[in-house]
Amino acid sequence: MEIFTIDEVRKTFTNGEVQEEILKGINLSLREGEITALVGASGSGKSTLLTIAAGLQTASDGRILFEGKNMTTMNSEQVRKIRASKFGFVFQFAHLVPFLTIEEQLILMLEVSNSKLKKYEQRREIDNILKLVGMEHRRNAYPSSLSGGEKQRVAIARAIIHKPKVLFADEPTASLDSKRSKDVLSLIRDLTKKLNITTLMVTHDEEMLSYADHIIKMSDGQVLQSKN
Ligand SMILES: Nc1ncnc2c1ncn2[C@@H]1O[C@H](COP(=O)(O)OP(=O)(O)O)[C@@H](O)[C@H]1O
Ligand SMILES: [Mg+2]
């Protein structure tokens, strides 16, 4: 099922007197339970497209349809609600809070996305997610004692603990070595399939493309080629 549609999206930035069109009419759609990889040279507009799709910044023109609803006409509070409850995010660095344990980071996320959960329900969700990402033995650890790959596993747990529909990942393996990158990508792939998430992932690494269901190649603000 098609859950997400990007329709003729444009983005223009103004630098002083100069207007620059960074996204030049992007069209793409994402289907439930599938991973779409966004590739292309640095500066081609991948992160801009991802953050617009995720409602973190607005498009200059065009529409973003999520579950059939047009996000581009919603007010910022409506977009914020969707983002907090239906979207998850993973970035290049895990950005864990240094003075919170793994469990506490996850509690914090649950409080933001769904404050109605009781303590024992929170614990159940945390048990489940830590098992899924293979980190249940580190629940009381602090980030400084984790390896880069483990931190990214916790970041993934945090991104999906509230059961989002869509996972946005911007170069989630860029700071990892090749083996850890593969581990993290196969984890993202497993979770996408098992939890029926829709994943949009920016990656620069050709080797990682075998993990994607679809590959969208961007160049200079346009979709150059889309391979299914
Ligand atoms: N807030 C901004 N203001 C002005 N220019 C921007 C802004 N954000 C991104 N850009 C420009 O848009 C282009 C695409 O950036 P980006 O989407 O980050 O590319 P990618 O993720 O593919 O490397 C770059 O030339 C960048 O300098
Ligand atoms: Mg980028």
Side-chain angles (χ1 to χ4, degrees), residues 156-179:
I156 292 168
R158 185 186 54 194
I160 60 169
I161 192 165
H162 59 302
K163 304 190 176 79
K165 291 278 193 183
V166 187
L167 177 65
F168 295 98
D170 196 346
E171 311 222 20
T173 62
S175 59
L176 301 178
D177 63 31
S178 157
K179 167 159 190 327

Side-chain angles (χ1 to χ4, degrees), residues 18-193:
V18 191
Q19 283 220 339
E20 218 184 332
E21 194 170 48
I22 299 300
L23 298 178
K24 300 171 177 164
I26 304 281
N27 295 291
L28 64 99
S29 51
L30 308 177
R31 286 197 291 265
E32 223 167 359
E34 296 187 343
I35 301 187
T36 300
L38 210 50
V39 299
S42 175
S44 57
K46 305 180 298 294
S47 295
T48 304
L49 179 60
L50 184 121
T51 49
I52 288 176
L56 290 165
Q57 60 173 328
T58 56
S60 308
D61 199 13
R63 299 186 310 160
I64 310 279
L65 301 175
F66 170 62
E67 294 182 322
K69 295 192 196 85
N70 187 357
M71 284 176 59
T72 38
T73 56
M74 293 178 187
N75 65 36
S76 57
E77 179 55 20
Q78 290 170 311
V79 173
R80 192 199 62 76
K81 274 196 183 136
I82 290 183
R83 225 170 34 224
S85 62
K86 305 277 185 113
F87 295 170
F89 296 90
V90 185
F91 300 100
Q92 176 178 350
F93 297 102
H95 300 297
L96 302 177
V97 183
F99 52 85
L100 296 180
T101 64
I102 304 318
E103 178 172 29
E104 287 164 344
Q105 322 252 349
L106 297 174
I107 291 173
L108 192 63
M109 184 64 208
L110 283 175
E111 303 269 340
V112 171
S113 60
N114 182 359
S115 53
K116 290 188 205 79
L117 285 185
K118 303 204 169 62
K119 282 278 172 258
Y120 77 90
E121 292 170 319
Q122 285 186 344
R123 192 158 310 128
R124 190 185 57 206
E125 297 303 321
I126 290 169
D127 285 345
N128 286 342
I129 209 74
L130 286 177
K131 253 179 228 141
L132 276 174
V133 303
M135 288 295 290
E136 66 267 50
H137 58 301
R138 305 308 304 273
R139 80 188 283 149
N140 296 316
Y142 287 92
S144 61
S145 69
L146 306 184
S147 72
E150 287 178 326
K151 281 184 190 142
Q152 219 39 334
R153 284 175 175 270
V154 174
I156 292 168
R158 185 186 54 194
I160 60 169
I161 192 165
H162 59 302
K163 304 190 176 79
K165 291 278 193 183
V166 187
L167 177 65
F168 295 98
D170 196 346
E171 311 222 20
T173 62
S175 59
L176 301 178
D177 63 31
S178 157
K179 167 159 190 327
R180 296 211 165 74
S181 295
K182 283 185 183 148
D183 288 350
V184 162
L185 287 172
S186 70
L187 175 63
I188 290 178
R189 187 175 169 86
D190 284 355
L191 295 171
T192 299
K193 300 299 167 188

